[in-house]
Amino acid sequence: MRKVEVRELGRLSYADAYARQTALSGERKQGLIPDQLLLVEHPHVLTLGRNGHKENVLLSAERLAELGIEFFESNRGGDITYHGPGQIVGYPIIDLREWKRDVVAYVRGIEEVVIATLRRFGIEGNRDPGATGVWTPQGKICAIGVHISRWVSTHGFALNWTTDLDYFRHIVPCGLARPVTSMEQLGVRVERAAVHQALVEEFARVFNYELAPVCA
Amino acid sequence: MSDVVMPQMGESIVEGTLTKWLKKVGDKVERDEPLFEISTDKVDTEIPSPVAGTLTEILVQEGAVVAINTVVARVGDGAAPQAPAPVVEAAPAPEAPVAPVAPPPPPAPAEVVAEPAPAPAAVVVEEDDASSPVSPLVRRMARENNVDLKLVRGTGAGNRITKQDVENFLSAKQAPAPAAAPVAAPPAVAAPAPAAAASGPLPRVEPAKVRVEPMSMMRQKIAEHMVHSKQTSAHVTTVHRVDMTKIAKVRAKVKEEFQQRYGYGLTFLPFIARAVAEALRTYPIFNSSIEGTNVLYHSEVNIGIAVALENGLIVPVIHQADEKNVVGLQRSIVDLAARARAKQLKPNEVQGGTFSITNFGSFGSLFATPVINQPQVAILGVGAVEKMPVVIDDAIAIRSMAHLALTFDHRLIDGALADQFCQKVKAALENWSDQIL
């Protein structure tokens, strides 16, 4: 069985989380550590993917600063997205040479993890063939954007748990003018820890892991 | 000189978008150093250089969609591009398909080290005529069968060599001399086709009959949008003839004063937009969109106005058009059209439209059947306003007439309702009070 280390890092700024990911992915490439799954929560931040369009940010830099929202241009795939409190952000750092060697299959795998997690809480999540992510009839519940370097992944997914969805009004999420939703908005009130646990278990199932002890 | 190919990134993936070059032509690259990035399905992947050297050529620009195994760049061996290209003597024994490797003088390791790049050493890949690119499939066939593509006559578009051409070439080659060793390959790099290879089909000489030109990003987006709309909505177009004489008189009366006061002319379009905004308030279903099995009624009436650009088309939006009078609408139209042509529209000015108007009459068209601007459910096409004889009360009169063509989504709207909508627009235009602007 392959091994994964799960790190629950709590509240962490986007920049710090990115630095952490970079360091871990370097170690992963050298084979110094097993695959990783980081779970974090970010303060308010807008991040723009490599293929993103700045015009999908609907506020000026000054206005963003006033609202206390940071802005980052990131090297993941995808367009603009928002992260903030109440969102569960997962960064798997895994070597895809040991799992299918297929970057699109990887994204479908992440979707599967989230869909299976939501199902445990009675939420029916779906894929949209044209739009990566996890969708419900009420809107997008999970955004996905990934970067691969030498088959090692960084970045990942952002699941809206109790996210304040008002913040999405400042952007056109992923360049798609479609609504967003959260677990809370769909009437599911659960502890963050319960969602973490479900995510980790489904992640292990989909990517075929034996869970290593949780580290911080 | 090594070719850098678009790597295979998984079984399900046949192509990706090259999003960014991380190096420029002339830059030095280390083996395994990231060279460019590709994007598939929200995954961005860094592709490392297979060899160390200098990036000598970029063959695929950022933004292009590239099939796997396509050569996207060439990396040379450090030194400046050297003139005398080494001649690769191919002397393959038929049973030993392993390519005869004779790499350039400095022993740059030609093997591919980059994990994501499965393509074998680039040495056997022929140099193509740049004007007639060859598909990865054909390239592979040629490589596997030791075919020099310069000897194959292309019959595809622009004299491109197709799979069939290679097959024909192979069968032609086998027929006369089945046991013969393959013809010695010509120099691998840029040389005229050898005249010696007389037994094969003649090399192509005639100029291409087709010019190949990639579509612009905007063109691709329009294409995608149009086909998407046709596949989504059940398009039906209904045409009503409208007497624009009263509007024409209003225009004639105020035209000069208007031009002087506002600095631009007064056209028929703001009158039509005004009438449409009214009709949209009366029949809100024309101001809706479909999502799944729900109808979303938009509380704002945001009318998009199609603007023809030099190489495309864009539909800027007049937000809350129902709150504007004719003067305000004309001002918005002039402003949006000018800034659309100057490429100075802000993002929100092309978003949020709930209905569209396209004015093909300004190009002389009588009527056309416009394509719905998704996710809207209807679009009004305005034909040319022309004086013509019409029968009124059994007498012939000369009136300024125009055809209004409403395309509606029959999934949601039936013909009777569409015609009521048109009649509402028609009535407003035909009974325009000459006091109101």
Side-chain angles (χ1 to χ4, degrees), chain B residues 308-332:
Chain B
L309 304 176
E310 198 175 331
N311 293 310
L313 143 101
I314 195 162
V315 189
V317 176
I318 305 174
H319 288 266
Q320 280 136 7
D322 56 336
E323 296 174 7
K324 291 187 156 73
N325 62 11
V326 171
V327 178
L329 289 167
Q330 180 71 76
R331 187 199 302 278
S332 296

Side-chain angles (χ1 to χ4, degrees), chain A residues 94-114:
Chain A
I94 74 182
D95 189 337
L96 294 174
R97 284 176 303 183
E98 296 171 12
W99 189 87
K100 290 197 179 177
R101 265 181 185 266
D102 186 326
V103 298
V104 169
Y106 170 63
V107 172
R108 297 287 95 84
I110 297 288
E111 287 168 349
E112 171 61 25
V113 169
V114 175

Side-chain angles (χ1 to χ4, degrees), chain A residues 150, chain B residues 28-35 48-53 75 108-114:
Chain A
R150 290 190 227 165
Chain B
K28 282 210 179 313
V29 285
E30 296 301 317
R31 202 177 83 180
D32 273 359
E33 191 182 358
L35 188 57
S49 175
V51 295
V75 174
E111 96 267 29
V112 174
V113 191

